[in-house]
Amino acid sequence: MITENCHPGLHKETALTPGNFLDPEVRAFLEENTEVISSGNLTPEIRLRLLTPRCRFWKERADLWPFADPFWAIYWPGGQALSRYILDNPDIVRMGSVLDLGSGCGATAIAAVMSGASHVLANDIDPIAGMAMVINCELNNVNPFPIAIKNITDTKLDKWDLIVLGDMFYDEHLADCLHHWLGKCIKMYGTKVLIGDPGRPQFTGHIIHRQLHKVMEYSLPKPTRQENNGLTSSIVWSYQP
């Protein structure tokens, strides 16, 4: 089942309601082992539950974490830049449909809702990320949006006004798949695509980089630099094949 505010093109077997993710035991575990923060990143307007240096699993052995690796629990630089850009430029999403691909903690999807998007779908392959997104929506007094827990690039193309993706070009095979899939979305529907990335070599060295237009560059706050091996800035790119 999908919620009433879903994009009309969504497949019912794909988009899940937030209630699907509200397992009380998992929620309690996440709340015990993450921290609510709104500082040290580019979007102090958005509160998020994340892993921080004060959390047990920041230094604990990774194999003790009982779920898939919690990539969602880090507010990555590309996602920060996208979220900041949307909050500062709400007209790019207002009254439009937005797909947040590889949503993680859900910050960019939350920014889109805050900025007036009429339909938002968040996507991630980790069901625990779905739980985290619901919790983060609650922290920001945002009505939870539908969440697709699967590799959405393997599904039928849907029409979106805007697709956003941050920090997704970390693997060559995934980068190739995204390059192909995003190109099809643009060709078929004229979808606008914004990509956030701090300049990882897997991204800057990929062929897609030749088809990008630099939209905005943000200097990263000190805590984000420290958590990301000294990366100093993050850029929003428009993909224009």
Side-chain angles (χ1 to χ4, degrees), residues 54-86:
R54 291 175 290 277
C55 297
R56 168 192 169 194
F57 282 97
W58 187 265
K59 297 180 180 179
E60 191 69 82
R61 290 200 341 257
D63 61 347
L64 295 178
W65 180 265
F67 311 108
D69 290 342
F71 297 113
W72 58 265
I74 303 295
Y75 194 9
W76 300 99
Q80 290 190 33
L82 284 170
S83 301
R84 180 72 268 155
Y85 183 72
I86 289 172

Tab-separated table of all heavy atoms in Angstrom, residues 54-86:
chain	number	residue	atom	x	y	z
A	54	ARG	N	30.432	10.244	20.067
A	54	ARG	CA	29.962	9.945	21.415
A	54	ARG	C	29.136	8.657	21.480
A	54	ARG	O	28.750	8.222	22.564
A	54	ARG	CB	29.133	11.120	21.940
A	54	ARG	CG	29.959	12.370	22.207
A	54	ARG	CD	29.094	13.541	22.612
A	54	ARG	NE	28.298	14.025	21.491
A	54	ARG	CZ	28.748	14.868	20.575
A	54	ARG	NH1	29.987	15.297	20.620
A	54	ARG	NH2	27.965	15.276	19.593
A	55	CYS	N	28.872	8.056	20.324
A	55	CYS	CA	28.055	6.846	20.280
A	55	CYS	C	28.917	5.594	20.425
A	55	CYS	O	30.072	5.553	19.965
A	55	CYS	CB	27.284	6.771	18.960
A	55	CYS	SG	26.094	8.116	18.733
A	56	ARG	N	28.339	4.573	21.027
A	56	ARG	CA	29.057	3.326	21.285
A	56	ARG	C	29.674	2.748	20.019
A	56	ARG	O	30.838	2.353	19.999
A	56	ARG	CB	28.082	2.320	21.910
A	56	ARG	CG	28.598	0.895	21.972
A	56	ARG	CD	27.482	-0.078	22.335
A	56	ARG	NE	27.900	-1.452	22.143
A	56	ARG	CZ	27.052	-2.482	22.116
A	56	ARG	NH1	25.761	-2.271	22.253
A	56	ARG	NH2	27.509	-3.709	21.925
A	57	PHE	N	28.902	2.711	18.926
A	57	PHE	CA	29.363	2.016	17.736
A	57	PHE	C	30.287	2.872	16.859
A	57	PHE	O	30.721	2.424	15.808
A	57	PHE	CB	28.162	1.513	16.918
A	57	PHE	CG	27.549	0.267	17.500
A	57	PHE	CD1	26.442	0.351	18.324
A	57	PHE	CD2	28.108	-0.972	17.246
A	57	PHE	CE1	25.886	-0.786	18.875
A	57	PHE	CE2	27.561	-2.119	17.787
A	57	PHE	CZ	26.450	-2.036	18.604
A	58	TRP	N	30.613	4.060	17.300
A	58	TRP	CA	31.607	4.844	16.575
A	58	TRP	C	32.980	4.167	16.662
A	58	TRP	O	33.755	4.170	15.720
A	58	TRP	CB	31.677	6.251	17.146
A	58	TRP	CG	32.542	7.195	16.362
A	58	TRP	CD1	33.866	7.495	16.596
A	58	TRP	CD2	32.163	7.954	15.210
A	58	TRP	NE1	34.317	8.402	15.671
A	58	TRP	CE2	33.290	8.702	14.805
A	58	TRP	CE3	30.966	8.086	14.497
A	58	TRP	CZ2	33.270	9.562	13.710
A	58	TRP	CZ3	30.936	8.947	13.409
A	58	TRP	CH2	32.081	9.669	13.022
A	59	LYS	N	33.230	3.539	17.834
A	59	LYS	CA	34.514	2.880	18.057
A	59	LYS	C	34.372	1.371	18.261
A	59	LYS	O	35.372	0.653	18.228
A	59	LYS	CB	35.217	3.496	19.272
A	59	LYS	CG	35.565	4.972	19.102
A	59	LYS	CD	36.263	5.513	20.329
A	59	LYS	CE	36.620	6.989	20.150
A	59	LYS	NZ	37.283	7.547	21.357
A	60	GLU	N	33.167	0.898	18.448
A	60	GLU	CA	32.937	-0.528	18.664
A	60	GLU	C	33.249	-1.329	17.413
A	60	GLU	O	33.201	-0.807	16.293
A	60	GLU	CB	31.464	-0.747	19.058
A	60	GLU	CG	31.123	-2.135	19.565
A	60	GLU	CD	31.743	-2.438	20.911
A	60	GLU	OE1	31.180	-2.028	21.944
A	60	GLU	OE2	32.810	-3.075	20.909
A	61	ARG	N	33.573	-2.606	17.586
A	61	ARG	CA	33.824	-3.474	16.442
A	61	ARG	C	32.616	-3.516	15.532
A	61	ARG	O	31.479	-3.678	15.973
A	61	ARG	CB	34.136	-4.905	16.902
A	61	ARG	CG	35.467	-5.050	17.592
A	61	ARG	CD	35.979	-6.487	17.610
A	61	ARG	NE	34.988	-7.507	17.385
A	61	ARG	CZ	34.450	-8.264	18.349
A	61	ARG	NH1	34.761	-8.042	19.614
A	61	ARG	NH2	33.600	-9.219	18.044
A	62	ALA	N	32.855	-3.370	14.225
A	62	ALA	CA	31.761	-3.270	13.257
A	62	ALA	C	30.881	-4.512	13.262
A	62	ALA	O	29.666	-4.421	13.038
A	62	ALA	CB	32.322	-3.024	11.858
A	63	ASP	N	31.471	-5.682	13.540
A	63	ASP	CA	30.675	-6.913	13.469
A	63	ASP	C	29.686	-7.042	14.620
A	63	ASP	O	28.839	-7.928	14.619
A	63	ASP	CB	31.582	-8.143	13.403
A	63	ASP	CG	32.484	-8.286	14.627
A	63	ASP	OD1	32.600	-7.314	15.405
A	63	ASP	OD2	33.075	-9.371	14.800
A	64	LEU	N	29.765	-6.155	15.597
A	64	LEU	CA	28.797	-6.171	16.692
A	64	LEU	C	27.518	-5.415	16.338
A	64	LEU	O	26.505	-5.562	17.025
A	64	LEU	CB	29.420	-5.578	17.964
A	64	LEU	CG	30.586	-6.378	18.555
A	64	LEU	CD1	31.146	-5.677	19.780
A	64	LEU	CD2	30.138	-7.794	18.907
A	65	TRP	N	27.575	-4.584	15.307
A	65	TRP	CA	26.364	-3.913	14.824
A	65	TRP	C	25.460	-4.983	14.202
A	65	TRP	O	25.877	-5.709	13.308
A	65	TRP	CB	26.733	-2.851	13.797
A	65	TRP	CG	25.564	-2.091	13.241
A	65	TRP	CD1	24.899	-2.366	12.082
A	65	TRP	CD2	24.929	-0.946	13.804
A	65	TRP	NE1	23.881	-1.464	11.893
A	65	TRP	CE2	23.868	-0.578	12.938
A	65	TRP	CE3	25.138	-0.195	14.970
A	65	TRP	CZ2	23.032	0.516	13.187
A	65	TRP	CZ3	24.308	0.898	15.210
A	65	TRP	CH2	23.284	1.234	14.329
A	66	PRO	N	24.214	-5.132	14.668
A	66	PRO	CA	23.410	-6.300	14.288
A	66	PRO	C	22.735	-6.232	12.928
A	66	PRO	O	22.048	-7.168	12.536
A	66	PRO	CB	22.365	-6.350	15.402
A	66	PRO	CG	22.195	-4.924	15.827
A	66	PRO	CD	23.555	-4.304	15.693
A	67	PHE	N	22.926	-5.147	12.204
A	67	PHE	CA	22.278	-4.981	10.903
A	67	PHE	C	23.341	-4.747	9.833
A	67	PHE	O	24.521	-4.855	10.091
A	67	PHE	CB	21.293	-3.809	10.951
A	67	PHE	CG	20.356	-3.851	12.118
A	67	PHE	CD1	20.487	-2.962	13.179
A	67	PHE	CD2	19.334	-4.795	12.171
A	67	PHE	CE1	19.635	-3.004	14.262
A	67	PHE	CE2	18.473	-4.854	13.250
A	67	PHE	CZ	18.621	-3.957	14.308
A	68	ALA	N	22.882	-4.440	8.622
A	68	ALA	CA	23.819	-4.077	7.556
A	68	ALA	C	24.598	-2.826	7.958
A	68	ALA	O	24.145	-2.031	8.799
A	68	ALA	CB	23.061	-3.835	6.252
A	69	ASP	N	25.772	-2.644	7.361
A	69	ASP	CA	26.594	-1.480	7.691
A	69	ASP	C	25.757	-0.202	7.646
A	69	ASP	O	25.065	0.061	6.659
A	69	ASP	CB	27.750	-1.348	6.706
A	69	ASP	CG	28.796	-2.444	6.886
A	69	ASP	OD1	28.808	-3.076	7.947
A	69	ASP	OD2	29.588	-2.649	5.951
A	70	PRO	N	25.818	0.610	8.702
A	70	PRO	CA	24.935	1.778	8.810
A	70	PRO	C	25.424	3.000	8.036
A	70	PRO	O	25.695	4.061	8.611
A	70	PRO	CB	24.918	2.045	10.317
A	70	PRO	CG	26.271	1.606	10.774
A	70	PRO	CD	26.629	0.412	9.930
A	71	PHE	N	25.522	2.856	6.721
A	71	PHE	CA	25.928	3.995	5.900
A	71	PHE	C	24.951	5.166	6.052
A	71	PHE	O	25.333	6.326	5.885
A	71	PHE	CB	26.036	3.585	4.433
A	71	PHE	CG	27.084	2.540	4.163
A	71	PHE	CD1	26.737	1.269	3.749
A	71	PHE	CD2	28.428	2.831	4.346
A	71	PHE	CE1	27.702	0.305	3.508
A	71	PHE	CE2	29.407	1.871	4.110
A	71	PHE	CZ	29.042	0.602	3.692
A	72	TRP	N	23.686	4.845	6.356
A	72	TRP	CA	22.660	5.876	6.529
A	72	TRP	C	22.944	6.756	7.743
A	72	TRP	O	22.407	7.870	7.837
A	72	TRP	CB	21.283	5.224	6.704
A	72	TRP	CG	21.245	4.278	7.877
A	72	TRP	CD1	21.444	2.932	7.850
A	72	TRP	CD2	21.038	4.614	9.253
A	72	TRP	NE1	21.372	2.400	9.114
A	72	TRP	CE2	21.122	3.421	10.003
A	72	TRP	CE3	20.777	5.814	9.927
A	72	TRP	CZ2	20.968	3.375	11.384
A	72	TRP	CZ3	20.621	5.782	11.304
A	72	TRP	CH2	20.712	4.566	12.022
A	73	ALA	N	23.760	6.273	8.676
A	73	ALA	CA	23.951	6.972	9.952
A	73	ALA	C	25.032	8.036	9.887
A	73	ALA	O	25.376	8.637	10.904
A	73	ALA	CB	24.275	5.968	11.059
A	74	ILE	N	25.579	8.271	8.694
A	74	ILE	CA	26.526	9.357	8.459
A	74	ILE	C	25.877	10.343	7.493
A	74	ILE	O	25.285	9.952	6.495
A	74	ILE	CB	27.841	8.826	7.845
A	74	ILE	CG1	28.467	7.755	8.745
A	74	ILE	CG2	28.808	9.978	7.598
A	74	ILE	CD1	28.918	8.255	10.096
A	75	TYR	N	25.987	11.610	7.813
A	75	TYR	CA	25.453	12.655	6.933
A	75	TYR	C	26.570	13.029	5.978
A	75	TYR	O	27.383	13.904	6.243
A	75	TYR	CB	25.013	13.843	7.770
A	75	TYR	CG	24.154	14.872	7.067
A	75	TYR	CD1	23.625	14.659	5.797
A	75	TYR	CD2	23.848	16.080	7.703
A	75	TYR	CE1	22.841	15.606	5.174
A	75	TYR	CE2	23.059	17.038	7.093
A	75	TYR	CZ	22.568	16.797	5.833
A	75	TYR	OH	21.769	17.746	5.224
A	76	TRP	N	26.608	12.352	4.838
A	76	TRP	CA	27.711	12.458	3.899
A	76	TRP	C	27.740	13.832	3.214
A	76	TRP	O	26.708	14.486	3.064
A	76	TRP	CB	27.607	11.343	2.864
A	76	TRP	CG	27.649	9.978	3.466
A	76	TRP	CD1	26.587	9.163	3.732
A	76	TRP	CD2	28.814	9.267	3.920
A	76	TRP	NE1	27.007	7.984	4.309
A	76	TRP	CE2	28.371	8.025	4.435
A	76	TRP	CE3	30.176	9.554	3.924
A	76	TRP	CZ2	29.246	7.078	4.959
A	76	TRP	CZ3	31.056	8.615	4.441
A	76	TRP	CH2	30.584	7.393	4.949
A	77	PRO	N	28.914	14.273	2.778
A	77	PRO	CA	29.058	15.633	2.235
A	77	PRO	C	28.196	15.925	1.020
A	77	PRO	O	27.689	17.044	0.872
A	77	PRO	CB	30.549	15.705	1.876
A	77	PRO	CG	31.208	14.696	2.745
A	77	PRO	CD	30.222	13.585	2.895
A	78	GLY	N	28.030	14.951	0.116
A	78	GLY	CA	27.200	15.199	-1.060
A	78	GLY	C	25.748	15.443	-0.694
A	78	GLY	O	25.087	16.331	-1.249
A	79	GLY	N	25.245	14.657	0.258
A	79	GLY	CA	23.876	14.857	0.732
A	79	GLY	C	23.707	16.192	1.434
A	79	GLY	O	22.674	16.862	1.303
A	80	GLN	N	24.727	16.594	2.186
A	80	GLN	CA	24.669	17.899	2.848
A	80	GLN	C	24.542	19.026	1.823
A	80	GLN	O	23.733	19.949	1.985
A	80	GLN	CB	25.924	18.111	3.698
A	80	GLN	CG	26.004	17.242	4.933
A	80	GLN	CD	27.140	17.669	5.850
A	80	GLN	OE1	27.470	18.854	5.952
A	80	GLN	NE2	27.745	16.705	6.522
A	81	ALA	N	25.353	18.952	0.771
A	81	ALA	CA	25.323	20.012	-0.247
A	81	ALA	C	23.972	20.061	-0.946
A	81	ALA	O	23.405	21.144	-1.163
A	81	ALA	CB	26.444	19.789	-1.261
A	82	LEU	N	23.428	18.895	-1.305
A	82	LEU	CA	22.112	18.862	-1.954
A	82	LEU	C	21.032	19.441	-1.050
A	82	LEU	O	20.183	20.227	-1.488
A	82	LEU	CB	21.749	17.422	-2.329
A	82	LEU	CG	22.447	16.825	-3.546
A	82	LEU	CD1	22.169	15.333	-3.616
A	82	LEU	CD2	21.982	17.509	-4.831
A	83	SER	N	21.046	19.037	0.217
A	83	SER	CA	20.027	19.520	1.152
A	83	SER	C	20.121	21.029	1.337
A	83	SER	O	19.102	21.737	1.346
A	83	SER	CB	20.183	18.805	2.497
A	83	SER	OG	20.059	17.410	2.349
A	84	ARG	N	21.354	21.539	1.483
A	84	ARG	CA	21.554	22.981	1.634
A	84	ARG	C	21.048	23.726	0.405
A	84	ARG	O	20.383	24.774	0.510
A	84	ARG	CB	23.037	23.259	1.843
A	84	ARG	CG	23.442	24.725	2.020
A	84	ARG	CD	23.012	25.255	3.380
A	84	ARG	NE	21.699	25.867	3.350
A	84	ARG	CZ	20.908	25.961	4.415
A	84	ARG	NH1	21.283	25.475	5.592
A	84	ARG	NH2	19.735	26.524	4.322
A	85	TYR	N	21.361	23.184	-0.762
A	85	TYR	CA	20.958	23.845	-1.995
A	85	TYR	C	19.438	23.888	-2.134
A	85	TYR	O	18.873	24.916	-2.528
A	85	TYR	CB	21.580	23.128	-3.197
A	85	TYR	CG	21.264	23.806	-4.511
A	85	TYR	CD1	21.853	25.021	-4.845
A	85	TYR	CD2	20.354	23.243	-5.407
A	85	TYR	CE1	21.554	25.658	-6.038
A	85	TYR	CE2	20.057	23.873	-6.604
A	85	TYR	CZ	20.653	25.078	-6.916
A	85	TYR	OH	20.349	25.711	-8.093
A	86	ILE	N	18.773	22.815	-1.793
A	86	ILE	CA	17.307	22.780	-1.888
A	86	ILE	C	16.678	23.744	-0.892
A	86	ILE	O	15.741	24.475	-1.226
A	86	ILE	CB	16.800	21.344	-1.674
A	86	ILE	CG1	17.155	20.478	-2.884
A	86	ILE	CG2	15.293	21.327	-1.429
A	86	ILE	CD1	16.870	19.005	-2.696
